[in-house]
Amino acid sequence: MLGTRVAKIRGNFILFLLSGVFLFLTHIKAVGTVAGVGTGNNPMMLHSPMNMMVVLLATAFGSLYTQLVSILVILFAYSVLVEPLEIQEPGGAFYMLILAWFTGCAVGVVLMALKPWFPGTAEILKNLYRRMNMIFSGKMVVGNALGGFLLSFFAWNPLFHVIDQCRGFVFRNYFPRNSSWEYALWVGLALLMIGLLGIFYTRKHVSASWGARS
C-alpha cells in the first residue's frame, strides 16, 4: 500500500522498516510488561527482601533483555543470509532504542499506578495507547515528509520522535527536522515521576481486600 518510495530516504528499505518496527515493539512490550506488574497486595510482596521497586526493575530490564536478544538475532540472520546492513551511527541508533524502552516503561508505570484504583480504565487506556501507536508511532513514515496538519497528529507521541531521530542515525542522508529526542526524554522523565508518586501513594493505602470477590 505504501510502496518503497514513500520513505523519502535513499537507502535500504528493509532497514527503514526494521528501524521503525524494532523501536515500536520495544516500546509497546515495555508498556505492556510494566503495566502488568502486580500491585502492592501481590502475595510476592509479603516476602521481606521483595519490594515494588525490585519487581518493577526486574520486569523492565527483563523486557529490554528479550528485545535486545531478538533484535541482535534478526539483524545477524538478515546480514548473513540476505545482505549486510550498514548503520551510519550504531551508537546513536542504540541510544534511541534505549530511549524507546525507557519511555515505554514510563507509560507503563503510570498505568501501573492507576490500575489498583481504576483497573478497567487502566486496561482500556493501555489498549487504546497501543492501538494509537499502530498509526501515530511513525514507524511507516518520516517526520520530514509530514506537513503541518499531519505532523500535529504525530508530534504528541514520544515514540514518533524517537523513531524519527533513530532514522537520522541509521541513514546517512536523512536529517530529521520535525522531531527531537530531548522531547521524548523529558516526557519519559515526567511520566516516570508521576507514576512513581502514584505507586508510593497507593502503597500507603493498599488493602488486602482489594480485588476480593463478594
Side-chain angles (χ1 to χ4, degrees):
M1 294 175 62
L2 293 173
T4 58
R5 297 182 180 273
V6 71
K8 309 293 184 184
I9 298 178
R10 294 188 301 274
N12 192 321
F13 186 66
I14 296 300
L15 196 57
F16 170 81
L17 290 177
L18 295 180
S19 62
V21 172
F22 282 161
L23 270 65
F24 168 78
L25 290 177
T26 300
H27 182 86
I28 293 301
K29 293 290 185 180
V31 172
T33 54
V34 173
V37 172
T39 56
N41 57 348
N42 191 307
M44 285 296 293
M45 297 299 105
L46 300 177
H47 299 276
S48 57
M50 184 65 68
N51 57 58
M52 184 58 66
M53 290 306 300
V54 172
V55 176
L56 181 60
L57 291 175
T59 303
F61 282 103
S63 172
L64 177 62
Y65 172 78
T66 302
Q67 293 303 312
L68 282 178
V69 171
S70 302
I71 290 170
L72 291 176
V73 169
I74 293 173
L75 288 178
F76 176 78
Y78 188 90
S79 298
V80 171
L81 300 177
V82 183
E83 61 177 339
L85 293 175
E86 180 183 354
I87 299 177
Q88 178 66 20
E89 296 185 37
F94 178 75
Y95 172 69
M96 292 299 105
L97 177 67
I98 298 299
L99 189 55
W101 166 77
F102 172 73
T103 52
C105 290
V107 174
V109 168
V110 173
L111 295 174
M112 175 185 167
L114 188 64
K115 187 176 180 180
W117 303 95
F118 308 100
T121 302
E123 189 66 24
I124 292 173
L125 290 176
K126 183 181 73 172
N127 292 330
L128 179 62
Y129 181 79
R130 297 174 69 175
R131 298 297 185 272
M132 290 179 67
N133 269 289
M134 292 292 293
I135 301 174
F136 300 117
S137 64
K139 65 180 184 292
M140 296 300 297
V141 296
V142 290
N144 290 359
L146 297 174
F149 176 73
L150 287 177
L151 185 62
S152 62
F153 290 97
F154 292 83
W156 63 270
N157 192 353
L159 182 58
F160 163 74
H161 291 263
V162 173
I163 290 178
D164 197 52
Q165 289 291 312
C166 180
R167 284 170 176 154
F169 292 112
V170 171
F171 295 97
R172 180 177 303 175
N173 57 359
Y174 180 67
F175 305 95
R177 299 187 303 269
N178 295 328
S179 61
S180 169
W181 64 265
E182 292 93 341
Y183 168 82
L185 178 61
W186 286 113
V187 169
L189 290 173
L191 291 176
L192 181 62
M193 293 299 104
I194 293 173
L196 290 177
L197 288 174
I199 290 174
F200 293 145
Y201 180 80
T202 301
R203 290 280 294 170
K204 293 181 179 180
H205 297 80
V206 67
S207 170
S209 62
W210 280 11
R213 294 289 186 263
S214 56

